[in-house]
Amino acid sequence: MAIRVPDWRPQAPLQRIHLDWLDAAGVELACLRLDLIDPLVSGNKWFKLAPYLQQAAADGAQGLISLGGAHSNHLHALAAAGQRFGFATVGLLRGEAQRTPTVDDLQALGMQLHWLGYGGYRARHQADFWQPWLARYPGFHAVGEGGLGLPGAEGCRCLVAMAQAQLADLDWPDFDAWWLAAGTGTTLAGLLLGDSRRSVFGALAVPASHGVAAQVAALLGQAGVSGARQQFIDAARGGFARFDQALRQFMLETEQAAGLPLDPLYTGKALMALRDFCANGQLVRGTRLIFIHTGGLQGRRALMGSNTDYTQG
């Protein structure tokens, strides 16, 4: 059966966040709670996936195939969307077969899994990588790791209007900039496509060597956009999925003080980077920011109880 595009247009609330370090810096912060749009298809993932589904439906595709790690938010959302909206999904996973809460969910949601090892996963950037998989799964559409691509970025444009429509509820006439975690840069590029006026700060959840800045530049170039205002901040804390005691403590204190659940790989690191940015006086007093909560809370299950470093797609 070919894919049908679901008529689902989730909305996320915009909520003020009050924390002592924000007050000390004279910075006002509101959070667009994408984590609240759905318990499974959560965060920014649906917005990145929807354009791929629309294209797959237009082409009469039978399903979608994508990549990620054993704790992948992207694969988790794709599998959940497939089960809910009735299309087949295939996941190509990094490393050797293992059980994690995410992997258990992927299987329960009906996703067909293939473990590529580490060398096999690194080959995903080769020009002929998809050829054997699409031959094995004819009629499927491939989606890049994390939804990376111009369609995924275009799908995130709507976040700008979603936040702006709620400014009056905060008694804000306007705001100055966006702040969010960046893993592939797709959502960040979408904000830049949708907002030509404000700066976007990307707190890098991966080392700069992973090429997020270049990926964002490539997406903007494909869209014909120039002069976008983005700034990247090192938030990886030594490496992707590096989870140390200082980050754990920051997350627990923030959740207790503001009632805002965070994940260790993206939103926790992004908000911690904002705290350090404020402490260093890098934002003028009176600045108003919107922080995009990109979800990822399903990944907490394995990470919060361990000091182990994990890799997540």
Side-chain angles (χ1 to χ4, degrees):
M1 184 184 342
I3 289 175
R4 293 173 296 171
V5 178
D7 184 18
W8 187 48
R9 302 173 187 177
Q11 296 292 314
L14 185 66
Q15 300 176 349
R16 281 291 304 272
I17 303 299
H18 298 280
L19 292 163
D20 289 346
W21 52 266
L22 289 169
D23 294 340
V27 172
E28 295 183 70
L29 184 69
C31 180
L32 188 63
R33 296 287 305 275
L34 301 185
D35 60 306
L36 296 178
I37 65 172
D38 189 86
L40 291 176
V41 190
S42 176
N44 57 342
K45 307 305 177 290
W46 172 254
F47 303 98
K48 292 195 287 185
L49 284 173
Y52 292 106
L53 283 183
Q54 291 167 351
Q55 185 60 58
D59 293 345
Q62 302 300 305
L64 273 75
I65 180 170
S66 193
L67 308 109
H71 305 269
S72 172
N73 298 320
H74 167 67
L75 289 184
H76 195 270
L78 177 61
Q83 184 193 62
R84 181 174 306 172
F85 301 124
F87 61 88
T89 58
V90 176
L92 308 181
L93 282 91
R94 178 190 302 110
E96 306 303 326
Q98 59 178 292
R99 283 195 64 181
T100 68
T102 303
V103 170
D104 288 345
D105 282 355
L106 297 181
Q107 294 175 322
L109 291 166
M111 177 174 274
Q112 180 67 46
L113 304 184
H114 299 277
W115 295 88
L116 304 186
Y118 292 100
Y121 197 83
R122 283 193 293 271
R124 68 193 183 279
H125 299 302
Q126 297 177 4
D128 60 350
F129 172 80
W130 286 109
Q131 183 176 344
W133 292 107
L134 295 178
R136 183 168 181 171
Y137 292 97
F140 276 60
H141 268 214
V143 178
E145 183 180 35
L148 175 64
L150 186 56
E154 291 282 3
C156 294
R157 275 181 181 261
C158 66
L159 301 180
V160 176
M162 188 185 300
Q164 290 181 150
Q166 300 180 69
L167 291 179
D169 297 336
L170 306 182
D171 198 25
W172 279 12
D174 204 351
F175 65 102
D176 301 294
W178 304 88
W179 191 283
L180 76 162
T184 65
T186 306
T187 303
L188 187 150
L191 293 177
L192 292 167
L193 294 179
D195 189 346
S196 61
R197 190 163 61 87
R198 300 180 184 89
S199 297
V200 180
F201 292 93
L204 292 172
V206 298
S209 60
H210 283 219
V212 174
Q215 288 170 179
V216 169
L219 292 172
L220 296 177
Q222 292 172 41
V225 172
S226 60
R229 300 193 299 175
Q230 66 266 27
Q231 181 175 340
F232 296 99
I233 296 96
D234 180 9
R237 302 188 64 77
F240 185 44
R242 189 68 56 81
F243 185 39
D244 56 33
Q245 186 56 38
L247 176 58
R248 183 195 299 273
Q249 188 63 32
F250 171 80
M251 289 175 58
L252 294 174
E253 291 174 355
T254 301
E255 291 172 6
Q256 183 175 22
L260 182 67
L262 301 169
D263 83 283
L265 274 68
Y266 296 100
T267 54
K269 288 186 174 183
L271 206 57
M272 193 173 186
L274 176 57
R275 183 201 63 181
D276 296 342
F277 212 69
C278 289
N280 293 332
Q282 292 175 273
L283 292 172
V284 300
R285 298 187 69 84
T287 295
R288 285 175 169 156
L289 296 176
I290 290 183
F291 172 55
I292 304 290
H293 195 307
T294 50
L297 298 181
Q298 67 86 23
R300 288 167 54 103
R301 295 171 295 177
L303 292 169
M304 288 300 285
S306 170
N307 286 318
T308 304
D309 288 353
Y310 291 89
T311 302
Q312 180 167 345

